[in-house]
Every structure is written in C-alpha cells, then in structure tokens.
Amino acid sequence: MIAATAPLSIQTPKPVDANTGASSQTFQQIKERYQAAGQGHLLNFYDDLPQSEQAALLTQLQSLNVERSNRIHQKATTCPSPMLNNQSVLLAPLPKECFDSILEASSDKVKEWENIGLTQISKNKVGVILLAGGQGTRLGSSAPKGCYDINLPSSKSLFQIQAERILRLQELASKQEGAQSKVVIPWYVMTSGPTRPATVKFFEENGYFGLESENIVFFEQGTLPCMTFDGKIMLESKSQIAVAPDGNGGVYAALRGTGVLSNMAERKIEYLHAYCVDNCLVRVADPVFIGYCVQKNADCGAKVVRKKSPDEPVGVVCLRNEAFNVVEYSEIDDEVAQRINPKNGQLAFGAGNIVNHFYTVDFLNKVESFESELEYHIARKKIKTVDLATGQTIAPKQVNGMKLEMFVFDVFPFTQRMAVFEVDRREEFSPLKNAPGTGEDCPETSRRDILQQHVRFIEQAGGKVIVGKDDEQLEGAPTLEISPLVSYSGEGLGFVAGKSIKTPISIRTLEDLKKAVY
C-alpha cells in the first residue's frame, strides 16, 4: 500500500515550542501576519491556554494560508455565480460534435470504443480516482460511506464491489493483444481527514479486496476555514480553528499537494477515471467511456444520464456563456428546462450530471495554472464556534457562518476538448444518498438496481431466470447476485444461453454459475 503519510504526504509544519525564545519570535511573526490579514482575533485566548494547546494553535495558524483564505472569501462573496447574480447568462445545449449517447450508438461503435479503452488499460495507461471523503451519516452510519453494506446476499460493501470490478477489468484487459505482462489499474482513493483512518483500516482488514496494496494510494482532500459572513475565520474552540473539507473540487489541489500526480507520472499513467463512491452501479475505469474520450482526443470528459423530467433536481452539463459547465437545476428557469431538441425529441438541456469524469494527466497538471480563477461555492451552515467576548462555546440554532467549497466540475470551463457521453441510467447510475426506508436513492433502491441488473445479464445472454418460491424478492427484484469477479458488465456469460437459473442465489465464481444453470 502507498499511503499519503510516506512518501505521499502533505508537509505538516513542526509544532512550535511555546517555551523557547525562537517560538516567541515565531509567535510574534504569526501574530503580526494574522493582524495584518484582519484575523488577529484567532489569538484572543492564546494567553489563557496551556502550553500544549498554545503550540497546537500556533501550528495550525502557521500551516494555514490566511491570505489565500481571505481571497477565497472575497471572491466567493463579491463575485458569485452569474446565474445567482442575475447577470446576463447565455445557456446553450451541448454542441453535437462533443456529445454521443450509448443509447443511440450501434453495437459495433460501442465495441470499437471498448476495444480502444481496453487497449489503453492493457498498456497500464489508465488509473482511477475515487472520491470517498463522505461519511454515511444520512444512512445512520458513522463509518465512511464506502464501507456501507447495502444488504446484498453477499454482504459486500461499496468498496468491495468497486474493487472487484477493477480486478475483473484487469483480467479482461490482460487478454488484449500486446498487453503488459502484468496489467495494473492504480486506485487513488481520496478521503477526508475524519474518514482517512477508518478507510485505511477497512481496506487492511479486508485484505485490500484482492488487489495488491501497492496499487492503492490513499490521500486526503484539503480543508478551508469556516468563516462568518463578514469574512472572519471562526474558532471551534479557544485553541482550534473551525475547518471543513474544501469540497470534491479540492481533489485537484490534493492530487498535486500530496504527490499523487508525481506517482501517476512515475507509473506513466495518461488517463484517469474519477467517480463518487456512492454509485453502486459505477463501471470503474469503464473501457467504453475511456475509449470514447480517447477517440475524441478529449482532455476532459463527463458521463451523463438522460433527465427523467424537466423538473428532476439534477445539475445539467451544458454551455454557459460559451464555456462547458454544470448548471444546477435551481438556476434554470422553466422555459429553458422544458425546451425540446427538435432533432430527437429529447430535452435540449437533458444531460444530467452524475459526477463521473475522464481526465488526461496533462489536463490535471494544468489545473494549477487556472486554479485561482475557479469558483468557490458558499454553503451556509450552523457552525459550532466560540464567543469571542466570553470564550463560551456556542451551538447555534440558526445559520451563523459559511463553509467554502469547490465542486469537481468547476474545471469544465477551462477544458480545450470536452467530451460528454450519455449512458443508460438503469445500467450505470444508482446513487446512495438517503436513509433506509425513504424509497429513493437509498440502500433498498441500490440493492434492487444491482439485482435487477444481474437478472438482465442472464437474460441478455440468452438465459432464463426462474424465481423460486422461497425468494422474498425484496423491492420487487429477484434475488440473483453475480460477483463482479465473474462479469464486469454482462460479458462472458454466453454459456447460459438456453438454460435457466433459479433464485434466490448468490454467484461468487464462474464455477458457481456453471453449476447453477440447468
């Protein structure tokens, strides 16, 4: 395993010794720097703290780029999104030349894209970035969301499902002509500070799900200080700044700052697939998507799904002021949302964003050059803080501050060659967002969507699924689970043609499936 502690580590300043003369000078320098930045209040309680907490506070202040934090706040509050500021905004549908749909492509074309993708994978040119910083709080779990068990018969977690798809894809790519003797798809797992220890431990306890540990790289997204609406950094306690993750758009700075981009260079990776951990149907390192983007010579790509209806609450990939962007559903008026493309009868603004992206490594290396131009988004929150007058901790009942974050799609306006690929929602998108029992984007729908997909795998291969009398069919889906180690996306099942399989059943290996069909 390569973890972001060594050699992939963010350089953390050494603690300041609160007893030495050198630290007094350092303290004075820090104090002057923060006063000049208008954030001197962060040292209000310094003299009241024990030495260990003084040192901890100085370490945090020393490592924080307070000037950058001020600039981010100023930009976010004075230069908001033109959509939100009622400025003149020109929205336009995606150009035809950058958009294709697997729903309309011929089987030969899909096979062509897949072959291109498998070839790149077979040459060890493809890596995967997993955005896994979230906790399962809304699911009633304190563990990282990737550890969640959606109650499949196998009890596999989201992490395990995705790891096994990587294993299967490595096996498929190794059969390509000219493949490397050992095909490897490195997995770059971005955690947050709170989820990092539990994520690493979960992988260790599960033997990295069969993957080689040296090909799994853990790294952390960054944080930004929480701020009041007038730009003051908030204290969580007398000795600690209130901070929050900088959003999934923080992945770009994190890739650079933790040495992950250097690791990619060492491995000679050229293409990356990035996705969120909560999509149980995600096709990790999807060769069709990779091949499509490579054929398009894209530097950045996005998978999308067709919106269910004009008012579906999902962001849309389109042009905003002639630049690629994701426009939130709340920013689009009804007339635009309902507009129809006369050529195909579909919504003109129907490319629903699912946070599933392609990048060239060259593009990721260029992000630093325009990072200062990226948008920061304000999330107004109730933030526990310290009363600067009394020193008492306040748990507010109303919104009292803001967390600043970037979104992963904020780089889209800076792409030179964008590719947008529409996929079948039923086959590739089932997000896990809500608590059990809510009926939408919840554990039950995730389980249902995987089981229904596996039924389709058998039926599309010419087999027949017989629902057994003892199959409870939770959520209406026959209980048929096929391990990703057996089939990545329905391939390799031709031998079931003309045969039947009875549920409930969980298929762990190819031999299991051969024994089960009759």
Side-chain angles (χ1 to χ4, degrees), residues 173-241:
S174 69
K175 298 174 183 178
Q176 289 289 107
E177 184 177 350
Q180 294 286 316
S181 57
K182 182 178 181 180
V183 174
V184 173
I185 303 173
W187 203 9
Y188 298 96
V189 182
M190 187 178 81
T191 69
S192 61
T195 63
R196 169 68 177 275
T199 299
V200 174
K201 182 180 180 183
F202 192 74
F203 272 72
E204 291 173 345
E205 290 176 345
N206 288 277
Y208 305 96
F209 311 107
L211 291 164
E212 294 183 352
S213 58
E214 61 265 28
N215 296 319
I216 301 175
V217 180
F218 299 98
F219 67 106
E220 282 182 35
Q221 69 185 105
T223 59
L224 286 170
C226 302
M227 305 183 88
T228 62
F229 297 114
D230 59 355
K232 297 297 183 183
I233 294 175
M234 303 174 77
L235 283 170
E236 181 176 322
S237 69
K238 292 180 180 180
S239 61
Q240 187 173 3
I241 296 171

Side-chain angles (χ1 to χ4, degrees), residues 495-515:
F495 64 90
V496 307
K499 298 181 180 180
S500 299
I501 185 170
K502 187 177 180 181
T503 68
I505 191 168
S506 179
I507 302 297
R508 295 171 299 174
T509 67
L510 192 60
E511 288 305 311
D512 283 349
L513 183 56
K514 289 180 178 179
K515 291 177 183 177

